[in-house]
Amino acid sequence: MPGAPARGPRVVSLVPSLTEAIAVSAPGLLVGATDWCVRPAGLDVVRVGGTKNPDVMAIAALRPDLVVANEEENRAPDLAALRNAGLDVLVTEVRTLDQALTELERVLVTGCGVRAPRWLADARAAWEAPPPSSYGPRGAVVPIWRRPWMVLGRDTFAGDLLARLGVVNVYANHPERYPRIPLDELRAAGADLVVLPDEPYRFTATDGPESFPGLPAALVDGRFLTWYGPSLAGAPAALRAALR
């Protein structure tokens, strides 16, 4: 099993997915994480604010050797401020499954100096041969927020996962990545399915499906749809079961 080297780098993570990946794969390296980094349960590190408003001074005070960030989760001005404070910032880009797997290896092996964990190999294997579907290709609307309604658009990690399972985002060619679309337009988009994750907005059986009368609704665990980390190994089976 991989673990932290005897004397490894001090790491601050500003991305919940990467926080979990590092904490599981290299226990003891993390010294700081955001308030939104809720996995693994019981993670005992200094909290350094949110993903969109990290406390740069608090992060610098931890004297990290590496700060791990993401171009979507974190704001460019905050990353610039961290670099201006003399910190080494590794910024990931994750818009597809292949990118996620590559970036996870870069963070863990190159950034943290540990062996590639077993769960990463398991994730690659799971997505190479996902469980067979009992349905044909389907078009889906995938809301991520309401009031206002926002959906997955182009070039999203979640959209790529769904496409690999035979569910094509009907807004995959929209010029925006997370467009705001009026509800009446969503209803008229010609989708066969509405996919409702429980994050970032917490859609539930009583909050979301009623807005799409006559359209089958699939409630999915957002961790399996939007997180890139240890959950990737179990994501194909979990998503396939939810999408039936």
Side-chain angles (χ1 to χ4, degrees):
M1 292 292 292
R7 297 185 63 179
R10 294 169 58 84
V11 181
V12 171
S13 173
L14 303 182
V15 186
S17 293
L18 297 179
T19 297
E20 181 183 30
I22 296 168
V24 168
S25 307
L29 294 192
L30 278 174
V31 295
T34 75
D35 299 335
W36 296 103
C37 294
V38 296
R39 293 179 182 272
L43 180 65
D44 185 17
V45 297
V46 175
R47 300 297 173 162
V48 295
T51 57
K52 306 299 184 188
N53 58 343
D55 186 331
V56 174
M57 293 183 63
I59 294 170
L62 291 172
R63 297 176 289 107
D65 301 296
L66 181 68
V67 179
V68 177
N70 175 264
E71 52 91 28
E72 178 177 46
E73 292 269 4
N74 310 116
R75 301 185 314 134
D78 295 323
L79 302 181
L82 290 166
R83 291 192 176 101
N84 289 338
L87 301 179
D88 184 9
V89 183
L90 188 162
V91 182
T92 59
E93 179 181 296
V94 177
R95 301 191 182 190
T96 67
L97 172 64
D98 290 341
Q99 274 190 313
L101 296 171
T102 298
E103 291 287 55
L104 283 164
E105 187 162 349
R106 182 165 75 103
V107 168
L108 296 170
V109 178
T110 304
C112 295
V114 300
R115 296 189 303 275
R118 174 60 183 272
W119 63 258
L120 188 54
D122 290 343
R124 291 183 188 277
W127 281 100
E128 283 175 1
S133 69
S134 58
Y135 50 80
R138 292 182 289 177
V141 169
V142 191
I144 57 169
W145 203 260
R146 65 183 303 175
R147 295 186 290 272
W149 285 94
M150 297 175 65
V151 298
L152 294 185
R154 64 172 181 84
D155 299 335
T156 66
F157 171 69
D160 186 45
L161 295 194
L162 290 172
R164 291 168 184 266
L165 297 174
V167 177
V168 179
N169 172 20
V170 299
Y171 287 99
N173 294 321
H174 195 281
E176 297 178 28
R177 297 186 66 213
Y178 302 102
R180 297 184 181 188
I181 308 291
L183 182 57
D184 59 347
E185 291 186 25
L186 296 180
R187 290 171 173 168
D192 306 301
L193 175 74
V194 57
V195 177
L196 298 168
D198 63 5
E199 60 177 83
Y201 184 90
R202 188 174 180 80
F203 288 105
T204 68
T206 58
D207 185 0
E210 80 290 343
S211 296
F212 299 88
L215 194 63
L219 295 165
V220 302
D221 186 330
R223 181 167 174 258
F224 289 120
L225 185 61
T226 63
W227 285 53
Y228 36 91
S231 59
L232 276 175
L239 290 173
R240 181 74 84 201
L243 292 168
R244 285 177 185 162

